Amino acid sequence: MTWFIFAGDMLVMAFMAALAVWVLWGGSSEAVDEAARIPLQDELDGMKDDPGDG
């Protein structure tokens, strides 16, 4: 059972790595930069909406 879980994890990791390589090689520099900004922009948007402690 442990080998089954390990093999599944390795397949998922290989898929994610292949997807990252595919996006980096296939996308334009501007598209990659825009995609990289998504988590930061979400964080900044969340701070704007948060009224704070008072």
Side-chain angles (χ1 to χ4, degrees):
M1 184 67 178
T2 302
W3 282 106
F4 179 74
I5 293 171
F6 177 75
D9 285 345
M10 291 298 109
L11 286 173
V12 169
M13 191 168 59
F15 171 75
M16 292 173 69
L19 182 63
V21 169
W22 178 58
V23 168
L24 287 173
W25 277 347
S28 67
S29 181
E30 294 83 19
V32 172
D33 287 343
E34 184 178 341
R37 278 192 223 104
I38 291 172
L40 178 61
Q41 192 61 42
D42 285 346
E43 187 73 24
L44 293 175
D45 289 345
M47 287 180 175
K48 250 191 306 190
D49 296 339
D50 188 17
D53 290 333

